[in-house]
Amino acid sequence: MFPFFIGRTPTHSEIKLASTYFYDKTMCKLAWKLFLPKEEFNLDHPAANPLVAGKQPPLKCMPPTITVVAEHDFMRDRAIAYSEELRKVNVDAPLLDYKDAVHEFATLDVLLQTPQAQACAEDVSIWVKKYISLRGHEFSY
């Protein structure tokens, strides 16, 4: 839902929101340093930046992917670009964009009761139910 991408060349949102809250450039770089093997650390590693020219994974093989972004999300531009690229290769990849919100707003305990988180939960639920109904399954509560 909330892509966590970065790259060597900063995007507009990465410049504008470089040091605004918890998920800033420093924290994002640290996360990728901890995730990637030391000898492979590179902000344009395909896992960190799946749209880097010549290194991207075969996006047409990706499953349906819902992308959630927020107005104050340091990583929003890359997430939007990723969603657009998925749609270009006919992957069902809706983009949900929420105003007055930050990265992971719909999963952070302190923000779960916000109108944005509530709307996101409903929007994601509708999308997931569509795929379950297409596969002949039913929800049980």
Side-chain angles (χ1 to χ4, degrees):
M1 282 183 18
F2 298 98
F4 199 88
F5 300 140
I6 195 167
R8 220 177 305 184
T9 305
T11 65
H12 176 73
S13 65
E14 291 168 351
I15 293 167
K16 179 181 173 189
L17 302 168
S19 58
T20 54
Y21 72 104
F22 183 71
Y23 289 119
D24 60 7
K25 183 175 184 174
T26 301
M27 183 59 72
C28 195
K29 282 176 71 173
L30 174 62
W32 282 107
K33 278 186 178 182
L34 294 171
F35 177 76
L36 294 171
K38 186 177 182 179
E39 62 278 358
E40 291 184 37
F41 177 73
N42 177 337
L43 294 180
D44 282 337
H45 185 284
N49 188 2
L51 300 181
V52 69
K55 293 184 179 181
Q56 65 260 57
L59 297 179
K60 67 182 178 200
C61 298
M62 293 298 292
T65 305
I66 194 165
T67 302
V68 175
V69 296
E71 180 180 13
H72 305 293
D73 185 347
F74 169 81
M75 295 167 265
R76 74 176 274 115
D77 292 346
R78 289 185 198 279
I80 291 168
Y82 182 70
S83 182
E84 289 171 352
E85 291 301 313
L86 288 172
R87 287 191 301 279
K88 285 180 185 176
V89 294
N90 297 316
V91 172
D92 183 11
L95 175 70
L96 305 177
D97 191 352
Y98 297 87
K99 300 281 184 212
D100 298 319
V102 296
H103 187 81
E104 291 190 17
F105 68 93
T107 59
L108 296 172
D109 285 345
V110 297
L111 299 176
L112 288 178
Q113 299 307 315
T114 63
Q116 296 90 335
Q118 296 292 305
C120 182
E122 180 64 24
D123 294 341
V124 170
S125 174
I126 290 167
W127 188 77
V128 169
K129 286 177 184 177
K130 174 179 83 169
Y131 277 94
I132 289 176
S133 69
L134 289 175
R135 290 182 170 76
H137 301 287
E138 291 185 22
F139 281 104
S140 60
Y141 296 95

